[in-house]
Amino acid sequence: MNEPQNKELTPRQQAMLDSEELLRPVAHLERKAVAMLLFSAALIVGAALYLMYARGVFEPTQRLILTADDSQGVSVGMDMTFQGFPIGRVRRIELADNAEVHILIDVPRKEAHWLRTSSVFTLVSGIVGGTTIKAYSGILTDPQLEEGATRPVLRGDATAEIPRLMSSARELLDNLNMMTTQGSALGGVVENVRTLTDSLNGPGGAIKVLTGSEADARKLAAALDRVNQLLARLDGVLGKADRQVFGSGKDAGLVSDVRAAVVQLNGLLADTRSSLARIDAVLVEAQAVGANARAATADLGDLRGEVEANLRKVETLLDDINRKWPFAKESELKLP
């Protein structure tokens, strides 16, 4: 009998066949390797170009030179900010012949309009965080900063104030210790305040503190008592004078008497006016009737007697007013 054509292979034979399959040459291996190398190189170059573009290497810039006396904290590649936005980057740091530090900053053309001839530049080193370069443009209508301009930078270091603050704090603590030690001026003031408080709470109180001694305080209290008694007497005198001058009813005063006398005077003056009116009427009648002149003359004599009587009454009333009111001026009535 003939053996079968396809007999099963042993594991060793299968391994030998697999190794022969792996050792078989790949078609176009060199071309594939070169293509892979070229692709990798293109990828690296593209990434580098993108990074350079992103960092503004190909963007047109304007050079700005800042001068300072120290470049501590400044590094190449750090940003210069305006209102918190980066508008420039440090490209190089140089030491000039006059020992000044020149910080060369590239500002993109599209951001250069924020920098003016009146702009101020600061270099600030904070306690927390790194050093920052900031630009301040207060007047944006000033001329734009020219290419290659050199400007001084104002440096502010917050850490430089720490030694001075520590020294001031130490001096303050020393002064506090001197003020609070035994026998110091502040201790004397506190003791004086305590003594003053005890004096205020003791007999005499504030009066003793003002006068300086207890005897003077007693004298001042006695003087105040006498003043109070005097004021009480003065109140009584003023009340009595008020009743005598402005009293009414049974205790009618001087003003009431004067008021009554004035009323009587007004009545007498009214009688006098009526008498004078009658005289005028008689005179008119005397002028109109010449034949009755003698009778009219007799009437005039009677009227004159009445007028004189009224005037005497007025004079008597005025004398009475002058007696009751001593400040009145003398008055004189003359007969016509």
Side-chain angles (χ1 to χ4, degrees), residues 231-271:
L231 290 176
R233 293 178 181 177
L234 183 59
D235 289 338
V237 172
L238 292 177
K240 185 176 181 180
D242 183 80
R243 287 192 301 271
Q244 290 179 353
V245 176
F246 300 101
S248 59
K250 295 181 179 180
D251 297 332
L254 182 60
V255 173
S256 299
D257 295 340
V258 172
R259 187 180 297 111
V262 170
V263 172
Q264 294 178 6
L265 179 60
N266 289 331
L268 293 176
L269 291 176
D271 295 339

Side-chain angles (χ1 to χ4, degrees), residues 296-306:
T297 303
D299 293 336
L300 284 175
D302 296 336
L303 290 175
R304 183 178 180 89
E306 292 179 2

